[in-house]
């Protein structure tokens, strides 16, 4: 409460009596109460109070009639309450007496009173609310320090100096208050005056007035005043720094204007040649107003740098990268479906799913006119043409083509770019490739995305790719170097991978995954005839001569079967190249071409002894030998399951052939099924107690695993214990359950072709695999009969004949009964 009355100041400063006597008054138990807002009055002070509420004015009328009566003053907890009750008031206040009423001009229904505060009191109970508050009030004890107490005197002196410092820092405090604080002779009155008039928080003042000891109240006041001083100093520092920043900005502005004027006087007002060149390029850019604003702002900075300074080169490099991007520039797509299909079929044999997806995209684009590009991920074994397919797609759509290899990428900034604060900063590889392409809608190959290094000290590149490959986000791709959003939504991203397991799930979820499976032998022959042989003839110089060697289909098949083991065609290309190099060498040495037509007989002479061979069907002369079908990363294979029995107690199961856990479990399930259905094979059950069973899969150096040999193992065990022949030229594949149900398996296409190569004519497989057979072209199914089964009993009914093998083994079953002694 600001005090503007010299009378009040004089009354306070002139008091020289004993405060204890001043506060020791006799008062009734029930007295009127004045509620104040944002004001806490302390014992012994004389202070003005502005009143205006109805209840307060009614109390004033009563006090005018009874000037010698005491009343109590209590502060409100919430200043917004107009009619407070006991719960709205703090319970500690002071006794007071009215000294004077001051008339306030232009203050309707308001009055200013000057009161003399006495001792502290406690609010016990409100007894009346109207027309003014009345309550039962009791005295609060006050503990004063002993007379001439040095600690109290020094504490109050320190408080005075802190208050003077506070008044100097606070512009809202009246300067005459410094004089009052200095002139008050009585330390207790000075303490009360400071606590009443310094604008502490009401909560802090309530804590002060509740403190019984005057000395403790002094220390608490010092603590509060120190906090207020620190806040004021902090505000002053902030204002000073802000003023300095504004002054610095004004100084820079005036200096820039002077530089501009000097350049105009020297004839360089239009800017440097670099600036003119950048401005010319910027005129043709189709960028947005926001991007243009950023560019112009950065261009203005260029003129402020000395051309000899490093900052000039950094800024110039940034602006050149900025205008070098094809903002809003797109190549026109060729949406001719027939042309696109012709180009895709010419460049790549097979890959029907990928071609179909691209043609669907072109078709929708043709109908809609505008469409966000899909994010494709082609995964499959190496050498099947995933990367080269991107170039064919770009050719088919007449788009630009760019490719980046992500193999071994370990730095996030390679994707998002470096911030310009770093020395040697540059854009990320995405933006650099777009700049290289010269259009904002190229076909963009992200090669080997599964080989990106994850969670390194330089960030997580795979997480940075999330923004690039999200159709909902890449319309505003943010490169750290550019520091401006760039639209990648029209870019046709095609990622390639060999293994999906190493790609983080959030990244994989953003891509449309298309499997590119390995080529079968027939497809490799076609690829070699159409692409590889012509390419290698040209690479080895045969296209410039009249005599050109040709490969027969049988020769190509021999190379594929005996000299390569791969899903793709890279090794096949190398072997063709090796054969042609050898022929080129012989021609250069002898002067003539040794062979114009290369047949299987010449292959071994040109390429040496074959390192690989294919298994062929071995007949059905042996009991317990059954032909199975397997899928490998380089195509289908046939494998043989061999079962033999040997005398031994107790009967045990032995598995050999470098089998994986899943295949071992399949063997155990097959044996348990045979034991459970032994009566259907007409075999004595004691054979399992007295004979050991050994199951072997040849080629022990080659790891084998998977559930698809389940029915093959079950049939092998059944044949071994019954000594019945297996149907001739028959192979089988399928998983079994403990109940004998046959489940579908994968890799059907590759397995069928492996069976055909081995001379198999009948294939047994699950009924649910029939849908896979229907998707395979009829040319690959010719000569093979398919037998669909539901359970193991169906397999046995077809595969096990009633004919016994030559020289069948007779199992000697001993009687379980033993004589008791």
């Amino acid at each position: 409460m600001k005090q503007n009355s010299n009378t009040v100041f004089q009354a306070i400063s002139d008091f020289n009596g004993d405060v204890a006597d001043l506060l020791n008054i006799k008062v009734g138990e029930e007295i009127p109460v004045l509620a104040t807002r944002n004001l806490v009055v302390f014992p012994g002070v004389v202070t003005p109070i502005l009143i205006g509420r109805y209840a307060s004015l009614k109390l004033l009328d009563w006090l005018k009639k009874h000037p010698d009566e005491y009343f109590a003053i209590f502060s409100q907890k919430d200043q917004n309450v107009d009619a407070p009750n006991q719960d709205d008031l703090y319970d500690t206040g002071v006794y007071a007496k009215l000294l004077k009423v001051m008339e306030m001009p232009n203050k309707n229904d308001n009055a200013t009173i000057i009161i003399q505060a006495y001792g502290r009191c406690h609010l016990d109970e409100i007894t009346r609310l109207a027309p003014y508050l009345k309550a039962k009030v009791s005295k609060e004890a006050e503990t004063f320090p002993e007379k001439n107490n040095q600690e109290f005197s020094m504490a109050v002196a320190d408080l005075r100096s802190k208050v003077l410092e506070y008044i100097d820092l606070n512009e809202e405090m009246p300067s005459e208050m410094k004089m009052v604080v200095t002139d008050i002779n009585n330390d207790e009155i000075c303490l009360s005056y400071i606590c009443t008039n310094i604008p502490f928080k009401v909560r802090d003042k309530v804590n002060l007035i509740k403190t019984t000891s005057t000395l403790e109240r002094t220390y608490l006041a010092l603590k509060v005043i120190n906090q207020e001083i620190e806040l004021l100093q902090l505000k002053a520092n902030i204002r000073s720094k802000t003023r300095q920043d504004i002054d610095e900005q004004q100084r820079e502005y005036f200096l820039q204007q002077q530089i501009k004027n000097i350049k105009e006087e020297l004839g360089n007002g239009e800017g440097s040649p670099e600036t003119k060149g950048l401005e010319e390029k910027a005129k043709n850019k189709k960028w947005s107003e926001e991007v243009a604003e950023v560019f112009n702002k950065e261009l203005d900075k260029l003129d402020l740098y000395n051309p000899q300074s490093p900052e000039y080169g950094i800024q110039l490099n940034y602006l050149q990268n900025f205008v070098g991007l094809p903002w809003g520039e797109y190549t026109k797509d060729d949406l001719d479906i027939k042309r696109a299909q012709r180009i895709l079929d010419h460049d790549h044999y097979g890959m029907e799913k990928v071609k179909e997806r691209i043609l669907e995209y072109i078709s929708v684009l043709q109908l809609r006119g505008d469409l966000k590009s899909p994010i494709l991920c082609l995964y499959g074994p190496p050498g099947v043409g995933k990367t080269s397919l991107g170039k064919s797609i770009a050719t088919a759509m007449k788009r630009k083509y760019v490719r980046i290899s992500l193999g071994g990428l370990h730095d996030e900034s390679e994707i998002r770019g470096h911030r310009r604060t770093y020395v040697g900063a540059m854009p990320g590889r995405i933006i650099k490739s777009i700049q290289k392409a010269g259009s904002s809608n190229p076909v963009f190959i992200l090669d080997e995305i599964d080989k990106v290094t994850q969670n390194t000290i330089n960030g997580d590149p795979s997480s940075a790719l999330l923004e690039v490959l999200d159709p909902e986000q890449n319309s505003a791709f943010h490169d750290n170097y550019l520091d401006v959003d760039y639209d990648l939504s029209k870019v046709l991203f095609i990622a390639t991978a060999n293994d999906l397991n190493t790609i983080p799930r959030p990244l994989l979820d953003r891509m449309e995954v298309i499997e590119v499976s390995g080529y079968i032998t027939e497809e490799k022959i076609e690829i070699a005839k159409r692409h590889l042989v012509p390419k290698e003839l040209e690479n080895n110089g045969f296209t410039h001569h009249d005599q050109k060697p040709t490969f027969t289909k049988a020769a190509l098949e021999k190379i594929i079967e005996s000299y390569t083991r791969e899903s793709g065609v890279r090794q096949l290309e190398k072997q063709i190249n090796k054969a042609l190099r050898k022929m080129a060498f012989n021609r250069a040495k002898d002067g003539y071409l040794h062979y114009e037509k290369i047949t299987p007989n010449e292959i071994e002479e040109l390429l040496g002894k074959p390192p690989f061979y294919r298994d062929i069907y071995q007949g059905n002369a042996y009991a317990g030998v059954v032909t199975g079908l397997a899928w490998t990363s380089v195509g289908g294979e046939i494998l043989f399951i061999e079962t033999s029995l040997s005398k031994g107690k107790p009967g045990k199961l032995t598995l050999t052939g470098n089998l994986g856990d899943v295949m071992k479990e399949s063997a155990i399930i097959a044996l348990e099924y045979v034991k459970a259905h032994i009566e259907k094979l007409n075999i004595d059950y004691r054979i399992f107690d007295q004979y050991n069973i050994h199951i072997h899969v040849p080629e022990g150096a080659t790891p084998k695993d998977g559930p698809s040999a389940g029915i093959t193992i079950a049939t092998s065990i059944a044949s071994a214990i019954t000594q019945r022949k297996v149907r001739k030229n028959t192979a089988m594949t399928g998983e079994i359950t403990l109940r004998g149900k046959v489940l579908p398996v994968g890799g059907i296409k590759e397995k069928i072709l492996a069976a055909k190569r081995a001379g198999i004519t009948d294939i047994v497989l699950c009924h649910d695999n029939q849908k896979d057979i229907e998707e395979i072209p009829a040319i690959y199914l010719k000569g093979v009969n398919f037998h669909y089964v539901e359970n193991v009993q169906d397999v046995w009914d077809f595969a096990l004949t009633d004919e016994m093998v030559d020289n069948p083994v007779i199992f000697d079953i001993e009687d379980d009964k033993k004589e008791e002694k």
Side-chain angles (χ1 to χ4, degrees):
M1 189 78 183
K2 291 186 179 179
Q3 296 182 344
N4 297 316
S5 172
N6 290 330
T7 304
V8 175
F9 294 160
Q10 190 68 33
I12 293 172
S13 60
D14 289 348
F15 182 81
N16 289 312
D18 190 347
V19 176
D21 294 339
L22 176 66
L23 303 185
N24 187 17
I25 59 173
K26 293 182 179 180
V27 64
E29 181 183 358
E30 186 177 6
I31 60 174
V33 171
L34 176 64
T36 59
R37 309 190 217 206
N38 293 329
L39 175 65
V40 180
V41 180
F42 283 76
V45 300
V46 177
T47 184
I49 302 176
L50 177 65
I51 61 175
R53 281 185 286 188
Y54 176 79
S56 301
L57 293 172
K58 284 296 181 181
L59 175 59
L60 177 60
D61 292 340
W62 184 84
L63 290 173
K64 287 179 181 178
K65 296 175 183 177
H66 306 83
D68 295 330
E69 294 291 335
Y70 292 97
F71 62 97
I73 301 175
F74 295 99
S75 180
Q76 289 184 203
K77 297 177 181 177
D78 184 356
Q79 63 174 342
N80 296 317
V81 177
D82 286 329
N85 55 35
Q86 185 163 349
D87 293 335
D88 299 316
L89 300 175
Y90 290 107
D91 58 6
T92 303
V94 293
Y95 293 108
K97 185 181 284 187
L98 178 66
L99 295 182
K100 186 176 182 181
V101 179
M102 300 180 64
E103 299 297 332
M104 302 294 292
N106 300 325
K107 294 286 183 178
N108 297 330
D109 298 329
N110 288 340
T112 298
I113 61 174
I114 297 177
I115 60 97
Q116 168 71 60
Y118 293 93
R120 296 185 308 127
C121 60
H122 184 271
L123 178 62
D124 296 330
E125 181 185 0
I126 297 288
T127 58
R128 192 175 71 186
L129 296 174
Y132 51 84
L133 294 176
K134 202 168 184 180
K136 290 182 179 180
V137 179
S138 57
K139 289 185 179 180
E140 289 266 8
E142 188 89 14
T143 303
F144 296 101
E146 296 180 1
K147 195 171 184 179
N148 300 324
N149 185 297
Q150 291 295 320
E151 181 182 0
F152 178 64
S153 299
M154 294 300 295
V156 173
D158 190 20
L159 180 61
R160 289 179 197 259
S161 64
K162 289 293 182 182
V163 170
L164 296 178
E165 182 182 353
Y166 175 83
I167 295 171
D168 288 334
L169 289 171
N170 195 337
E171 297 175 354
E172 297 179 359
M173 298 297 294
S175 58
E176 57 265 27
M177 188 174 286
K178 294 174 66 176
M179 178 184 67
V180 178
V181 172
T182 305
D183 292 346
I184 296 176
N185 297 324
N186 188 285
D187 288 342
E188 286 89 349
I189 296 297
C190 181
L191 171 63
S192 293
Y193 176 80
I194 290 171
C195 292
T196 301
N197 291 280
I198 298 300
F200 300 151
K201 297 181 180 67
V202 173
R203 183 73 255 179
D204 292 335
K205 289 190 175 187
V206 170
N207 291 334
L208 286 166
I209 199 171
K210 281 179 176 289
T211 305
T212 303
S213 169
T214 309
L215 179 59
E216 290 180 7
R217 189 182 302 158
T218 307
Y219 284 130
L220 184 57
L222 275 168
K223 180 180 178 182
V224 176
I225 195 72
N226 279 322
Q227 291 175 349
E228 295 295 328
I229 289 172
E230 287 180 5
L231 286 175
L232 288 173
Q233 289 173 340
L234 180 60
K235 290 178 181 178
N237 289 336
I238 293 172
R239 282 198 297 268
S240 175
K241 289 179 180 178
T242 306
R243 190 178 299 112
Q244 289 175 2
D245 290 342
I246 295 173
D247 293 343
E248 186 66 26
Q249 291 174 6
Q250 291 175 342
R251 177 176 172 275
E252 289 180 2
Y253 173 76
F254 290 129
L255 288 174
Q256 290 172 8
Q257 290 297 115
Q258 290 177 4
I259 291 171
K260 187 175 180 181
N261 294 335
I262 292 170
K263 286 186 176 182
E264 289 178 354
E265 290 294 329
L266 295 173
N268 296 331
E270 296 180 357
S272 63
E274 290 86 357
T275 303
K276 293 179 182 178
L278 292 169
E279 288 176 342
E280 288 296 322
K281 292 180 180 178
K283 290 178 182 178
N284 301 321
K285 291 297 173 184
K286 301 174 184 177
W287 47 34
S288 63
E289 292 182 3
E290 292 81 3
V291 176
E293 183 180 349
V294 173
F295 174 77
N296 292 329
K297 181 180 177 181
E298 298 293 335
L299 188 63
D300 291 340
K301 289 182 183 178
L302 186 66
D303 284 336
L304 302 179
Y305 295 127
N306 186 334
Q308 306 302 321
S309 68
E311 290 82 3
Y312 184 87
I314 293 171
Q315 186 71 6
L316 179 61
N317 185 47
Y318 170 76
L319 290 168
Q320 287 173 339
N321 279 303
F322 204 99
V323 297
L325 283 168
W327 298 91
E329 298 176 20
Y330 305 98
T331 55
K332 186 177 180 181
D333 291 333
D334 190 326
L335 304 179
D336 187 344
I337 296 293
K338 293 182 179 179
R339 176 183 174 276
Q341 186 165 10
R342 187 169 61 251
I343 292 174
L344 293 174
D345 289 340
H346 175 269
D347 292 348
H348 290 81
Y349 184 81
M351 295 190 177
E352 301 303 328
K353 290 183 180 179
V354 187
K355 293 177 184 177
E356 183 180 353
R357 182 64 184 89
I358 297 301
L359 294 175
E360 287 172 356
Y361 169 65
I362 296 174
S363 301
V364 175
L365 197 60
Q366 188 183 75
L367 292 174
R368 182 170 174 174
D370 183 25
L371 183 68
K372 285 186 177 180
S373 296
I375 312 294
L376 306 181
C377 178
L378 310 181
Y379 86 95
V384 296
K386 300 183 298 294
T387 306
S388 61
L389 182 63
K391 189 171 289 186
S392 297
I393 294 171
T395 303
M397 298 183 68
K398 291 188 177 178
R399 286 193 180 188
K400 298 295 182 65
Y401 169 81
V402 287
R403 169 190 166 275
I404 62 171
S405 177
L406 301 177
L409 190 72
H410 64 279
D411 193 345
E412 178 187 345
S413 58
E414 289 285 322
I415 303 296
R416 286 204 177 111
H418 305 78
R419 299 189 184 279
R420 279 190 289 160
T421 52
Y422 296 107
V423 176
M426 62 180 68
R429 295 175 68 178
I430 301 294
I431 291 297
K432 286 169 71 176
S433 297
I434 294 293
Q435 186 177 0
K436 176 183 175 183
S439 75
S440 295
N441 64 335
V443 174
F444 202 125
I445 302 297
L446 299 170
D447 212 6
E448 311 293 354
I449 197 171
D450 57 325
K451 297 174 182 63
V452 175
T453 306
Q454 299 176 32
N455 295 324
T456 68
I457 58 173
N458 297 316
D460 188 356
S462 60
S463 296
L465 284 169
L466 293 176
E467 183 183 4
V468 178
L469 300 180
D470 191 337
E472 301 301 323
Q473 297 183 40
N474 64 9
S475 59
F477 172 68
H478 189 85
D479 185 273
N480 291 329
Y481 180 79
L482 282 183
D483 206 20
V484 178
D485 291 341
Y486 193 88
D487 186 4
L488 298 177
S489 62
K490 300 295 189 296
V491 178
L492 178 54
F493 285 105
I494 300 177
T496 70
N498 299 127
D499 184 8
L500 296 182
N501 294 324
T502 59
I503 302 177
R505 299 307 302 177
L507 184 59
L508 191 63
D509 183 60
R510 283 163 167 78
M511 300 185 289
E512 183 178 340
V513 179
I514 301 175
E515 181 181 5
V516 183
S517 58
Y519 297 115
I520 58 178
T521 300
E522 287 75 5
E523 290 173 334
K524 290 181 181 180
I525 292 172
E526 287 298 321
I527 293 171
K529 286 167 61 178
R530 297 184 185 188
H531 303 286
L532 303 183
V533 172
K535 177 182 175 183
E536 294 306 325
L537 284 172
E538 183 176 356
N539 289 344
N540 288 280
F542 286 104
T543 54
H544 305 293
H545 298 275
D546 295 335
Q547 287 184 313
K548 298 177 185 177
T550 59
F551 289 83
T552 64
K553 182 178 179 180
L556 292 173
E557 184 174 357
K558 184 173 180 65
I559 296 175
I560 294 167
E561 298 287 345
S562 303
Y563 291 88
T564 64
R565 269 294 183 273
E566 60 176 346
S567 296
V569 292
R570 284 204 182 108
Q571 296 301 321
L572 175 58
E573 183 178 6
K574 292 178 181 178
Q575 295 298 330
I576 292 172
N577 180 277
K578 181 179 178 181
L580 292 176
R581 286 201 315 270
K582 191 68 174 285
M583 294 187 69
F585 171 72
N586 292 336
R587 187 182 188 283
K589 182 177 68 172
D590 301 331
Y592 65 94
L593 192 64
H594 285 204
Y595 318 110
E596 288 191 14
K597 181 176 288 188
I598 302 174
T599 64
N601 296 327
E602 285 81 37
I603 291 297
E604 192 166 326
E605 180 183 338
L606 294 172
L607 299 180
K609 295 293 182 180
F612 307 110
Y613 68 94
R614 292 277 187 183
D615 287 326
I616 60 172
Y617 179 66
Q618 297 180 355
N620 64 343
Y622 300 94
V625 179
V626 183
T627 306
L629 299 174
W631 178 92
T632 69
S633 61
V634 295
E637 296 280 354
I638 67 168
L639 53 81
F640 302 103
I641 306 294
E642 301 176 351
T643 302
S644 67
L645 279 73
S646 59
K647 193 74 173 177
K649 288 186 179 182
K652 66 176 181 178
L653 173 65
T654 303
L655 301 171
T656 56
N658 200 354
L659 309 184
D661 291 340
V662 178
M663 199 166 182
K664 289 178 181 178
E665 290 173 359
S666 294
I668 294 171
I669 292 171
L671 178 59
E672 291 302 319
Y673 179 82
V674 173
K675 287 180 179 180
H677 299 80
I678 194 69
E679 71 282 353
K680 294 184 179 180
L681 297 172
N682 297 321
I683 296 296
D684 192 329
Y685 71 92
R686 292 174 295 179
I687 190 173
F688 296 110
D689 297 328
Q690 301 177 19
Y691 281 82
N692 297 323
I693 298 177
H694 187 161
I695 300 174
H696 176 67
V697 184
E699 298 186 31
T702 305
K704 309 167 193 72
D705 204 359
S708 64
I711 63 174
T712 314
I713 297 173
T715 305
S716 176
I717 296 172
S719 173
I721 62 177
T722 61
Q723 293 295 295
R724 290 159 62 183
K725 282 188 176 182
V726 177
R727 186 181 293 272
K728 193 175 183 180
N729 297 324
T730 297
M732 57 189 68
T733 181
E735 180 181 355
I736 65 169
T737 68
L738 205 54
R739 295 174 294 135
K741 183 176 176 60
V742 180
L743 303 180
V745 293
I748 297 298
K749 180 180 177 183
E750 290 81 1
K751 291 177 179 179
I752 290 172
L753 293 169
K756 283 186 67 177
R757 287 193 297 269
I760 300 295
T761 58
D762 293 275
I763 298 178
V764 180
L765 67 167
C766 176
H767 189 275
D768 290 338
N769 280 123
Q770 187 172 355
K771 63 180 184 300
D772 300 310
I773 301 296
E774 293 170 354
E775 293 180 358
I776 300 174
I779 187 173
Y780 300 136
L781 306 179
K782 188 177 180 181
V784 180
N785 299 314
F786 299 97
H787 305 275
Y788 303 108
V789 295
E790 296 282 353
N791 52 58
V792 176
Q793 194 60 50
D794 294 340
V795 179
W796 289 349
D797 290 344
F798 174 78
L800 288 178
T801 68
D802 295 331
E803 183 182 358
M804 303 292 283
V805 297
D806 297 336
N807 303 316
V809 177
I810 305 299
F811 299 108
D812 182 18
I813 307 298
E814 297 178 1
D815 194 348
D816 289 340
K817 295 180 180 179
K818 297 180 179 179
E819 294 182 1
E820 296 182 2
K821 293 183 179 180

